[in-house]
Amino acid sequence: MKPTASPVDVDPTTTAPEVSDAVDGISHTYQPVVWHWFFLKEIDKTKRIWKPFSMLDSVALDDTFQLRKIAPEDAIVMTDGGRYDVDVSRRLRTAIYWEETPLSVRRCSWFFKGSLETRYTPYDEDMAEKLEEEYHNSLLHSLWRRVLEFPLGNKIMFQNPNVLLDFSNYGPVDDWTQVTEGQIRPLIVKRGIDGFDISDGEKTVIDHLIFLVHGIGSVCDLRFRSVVEVVDDFRILSFQMLETHFPTAVAEQRVGRVEFLPVSWHAPLHGDDTGIDKRLQPITLPSIPKLRHFANDTILDVLFYTSPVYCETIISTVAHELNRLYKIFLQRNPTFQGQVSLGGHSLGSLILFDLLAHQPLIPNPEPVDDVLSEVFKMDCKCLAGILLGSCDQDAVSYVSDLNDPTVEEVCQVLQLGDHLAKFQREQFTFGDLLLLSEEDLASLGLPMGPRKRLLTYLRDLEIRRAKLKQVLERMFTCAGFRHFRVPFYRPVLAFVVFFGEDGNIPAHDSTVSYTIGLAGTGQPSISYPLLDFHPAAFYALGSPTAMFVTVRGIDCLGEDFVLPTCPKFYNIFHPYDPIAYRIETLIDVNMVNVPPVIIPHHKGRKRMHIELRETMARLSADIKERFFGSVRSTWSTVQNFTSFRSMPPGDGLDVQCLQEDLDTSTNSDDSAVAEKTTTEADPVIRIGKLNGGCRIDYVLQEAPLESFNEYLFALTSHVVYWESEDTMLMMLRETYAGMDTYPDK
């Protein structure tokens, strides 16, 4: 008859007296098991695995669990650096910054796995407590080599303290069951968390916040991971780089961590609000359905962004998400004093570029509080009465700021400084510019790109002035609340101009015109929302921004081009990435012959195959130069000797000329060597204002295997950034450089 597990009056969580049992000549002393918290994680939407919380999070959860025994109440614990909340009473883990199905958490101490499996699965908490009781009882009374059947049907063999097997799916068993070939192998049972890879936990001090925007499609790499998953691994990579490259700063506690948060815009674009997927379904051919679904879901995102309708949705979604995430982050991290940066991959970098390029130069706006958000929901007429009241004089002064700009100011804004002399020669005023047609500008010698920019600027300025005039007139005629101070209404006027009079983010079906915007012919004329923060830096990964700007009809951004609220811009790309383009050549055409800055390998210097290739190239050039130099010298000597022999007696002029030629040749060789030495010294190059005059284009070093065939690795090179230690180290280096903290040499 099979023995049945029965309760034993022992609490495994309390300190018990030491119990020793000698099995096979080895003494085993009972120690209470260590409980650890695990959470369920969904992998590829088809597989779920149990992963351990960090030591820091598990201790916090267990402390709350123990307190609930004394005073039962709902308790929420922040875990994973504040990105998740765990409801201890309901055993649920919920994401804070993004939408994710809440999944279970469990307090664990006993685990099982199949003989061919690599991961252990925890037993539920009740089963774990019963197993611990029976284990303690077996060790106390030396009750081994027996099978216990538990109420839920689990049949556990206690062979000895180190060997425990689960025969739940095995069939009838007895105390001496032997596994023969061909039978189903029993499950391996494990007690405790020894052998699990458990991290200590994330640092509580956050030095910097970086938002990352994904590119086309809902997946970000060839493993079909979402932006949340790749950013999770990107964040873990930052922890590793900080430990290995900033050990001194970490040891001295001068460095905390950098928080990375994902920004997703694909789901709202393809959601029910836009209905675009339903519209595409009737016109999509039934053949090769998987490929066509991939094209509709991923590749068409590029076309959607060039559409005047859906571009509005994408821009508004990204801006709204950035402001929402930033507000939540500040609420959960009230002591945060760091700065914020932005990063975008592929099309995401273009979205951020356009958004940042259209931010106004106004003081850093504060996040809208709950009271002011209610004000924004009011009718514009009521809003005018609230904001102005008795402040008419200040409003008049604000309107006076809209006086006609000078021709010089217009040329500076539009980067038309090269053509300023043409307008000055004709003695044009701003009013004269408003009367010029495209034919008139062409007759002045303005190329098509500058012509389009100027005409669009003048037209848009008139439209915005008319809209603002209407709003101000309505404000002046309104009566209402008068207790609001003047500083409140200035950002709200900007809000009205950029968002519209209703104060709402434009929907996907807003009426927008596909016109020649300030950014060129490919940029729809839409409203760009304001961000609640000014980013310290913008990292573009595998960015097609330069290509889109060129297609829009802009030949050159000019050295005065800047992102109004973002002082730093880094264009990072893989040398074989087919989607990436250079930015520096759009600022200065002379940069075509200047290679991008090579990002150092995270283990130091350059990769061996790159150094070998450059060394062989220099050696080949030196040999070639010396060979041809020797040939030229020999040929020159022969020619000069022949001329000398045929020279008439007494004519020393040619001898003097010959000597001068030799001296000149020698000096030119010395100059060439000096020039080469200067070139190899890699002098500092200053370019434009986009990155504070510093270099903008940075190229990763290809791996040795990638160098064998560029085309074979072209596709993988576009998604390599999410796992690139070199990319992460550069971002950390630039981030902490602003804090006067640098990697160890």
Side-chain angles (χ1 to χ4, degrees), residues 302-314:
V302 179
L303 301 181
F304 290 148
Y305 188 68
T306 60
S307 164
V309 176
Y310 298 106
C311 179
E312 187 100 6
T313 299
I314 296 174

Side-chain angles (χ1 to χ4, degrees), residues 213-221 224-228 263-270 293-302 304 314 345-348 351 718 722:
V213 181
H214 67 86
I216 61 174
S218 58
V219 297
C220 296
D221 61 5
F224 299 98
R225 295 184 299 170
S226 66
V227 64
V228 174
V263 179
S264 177
W265 51 267
H266 181 268
L269 175 64
H270 293 265
H293 177 268
F294 173 78
N296 291 346
D297 188 65
T298 303
I299 300 177
L300 289 188
D301 286 349
V302 179
F304 290 148
I314 296 174
H345 175 244
S346 190
L347 184 62
I351 297 171
H718 185 57
W722 300 115

Side-chain angles (χ1 to χ4, degrees), residues 192-427:
I193 58 174
D194 293 339
F196 283 91
D197 184 14
I198 302 176
S199 65
D200 295 332
E202 299 180 16
K203 296 182 181 298
T204 56
V205 178
I206 300 177
D207 300 323
H208 201 84
L209 172 63
I210 298 181
F211 294 111
L212 295 175
V213 181
H214 67 86
I216 61 174
S218 58
V219 297
C220 296
D221 61 5
L222 298 182
R223 288 191 282 169
F224 299 98
R225 295 184 299 170
S226 66
V227 64
V228 174
E229 294 173 307
V230 296
V231 172
D232 280 346
D233 286 350
F234 206 57
R235 186 186 306 109
I236 294 174
L237 188 61
S238 72
F239 301 156
Q240 298 172 357
M241 291 294 103
L242 284 175
E243 292 291 338
T244 56
H245 290 77
F246 294 80
T248 302
V250 172
E252 296 175 354
Q253 297 184 350
R254 291 186 289 110
V255 166
R257 66 182 178 93
V258 178
E259 179 63 281
F260 294 86
L261 294 179
V263 179
S264 177
W265 51 267
H266 181 268
L269 175 64
H270 293 265
D272 295 334
D273 292 339
T274 62
I276 184 59
D277 289 347
K278 293 181 180 179
R279 299 178 188 178
L280 289 175
Q281 187 175 0
I283 63 176
T284 302
L285 298 179
S287 58
I288 50 174
K290 292 185 178 180
L291 182 58
R292 296 189 186 278
H293 177 268
F294 173 78
N296 291 346
D297 188 65
T298 303
I299 300 177
L300 289 188
D301 286 349
V302 179
L303 301 181
F304 290 148
Y305 188 68
T306 60
S307 164
V309 176
Y310 298 106
C311 179
E312 187 100 6
T313 299
I314 296 174
I315 287 288
S316 301
T317 299
V318 171
H320 174 71
E321 277 294 290
L322 288 172
N323 290 335
R324 182 185 70 85
L325 294 176
Y326 182 62
K327 182 178 181 180
I328 296 176
F329 178 82
L330 292 182
Q331 291 173 350
R332 297 179 69 84
N333 301 273
T335 60
F336 176 72
Q337 299 294 331
Q339 292 182 306
V340 184
S341 293
L342 298 177
H345 175 244
S346 190
L347 184 62
S349 64
L350 174 63
I351 297 171
L352 289 176
F353 180 86
D354 288 336
L355 184 61
L356 292 175
H358 289 80
Q359 294 297 298
L361 280 171
I362 60 176
N364 196 7
E366 297 294 334
V368 180
D369 57 20
D370 296 335
V371 177
L372 201 54
S373 64
E374 293 299 324
V375 173
F376 282 148
K377 296 178 182 178
M378 298 180 181
D379 180 75
C380 185
K381 186 173 182 178
C382 298
L383 180 63
I386 292 175
L387 296 176
L388 289 182
S390 60
C391 304
D392 298 341
Q393 185 62 37
D394 294 281
V396 171
S397 65
Y398 181 78
V399 176
S400 66
D401 293 339
L402 299 179
N403 291 334
D404 292 344
T406 63
V407 176
E408 289 78 9
E409 292 174 346
V410 173
C411 291
Q412 182 179 2
V413 171
L414 301 180
Q415 288 91 40
L416 299 179
D418 296 340
H419 306 284
L420 177 60
K422 300 176 182 178
F423 297 111
Q424 293 176 339
R425 184 175 61 249
E426 300 294 336
Q427 299 182 353

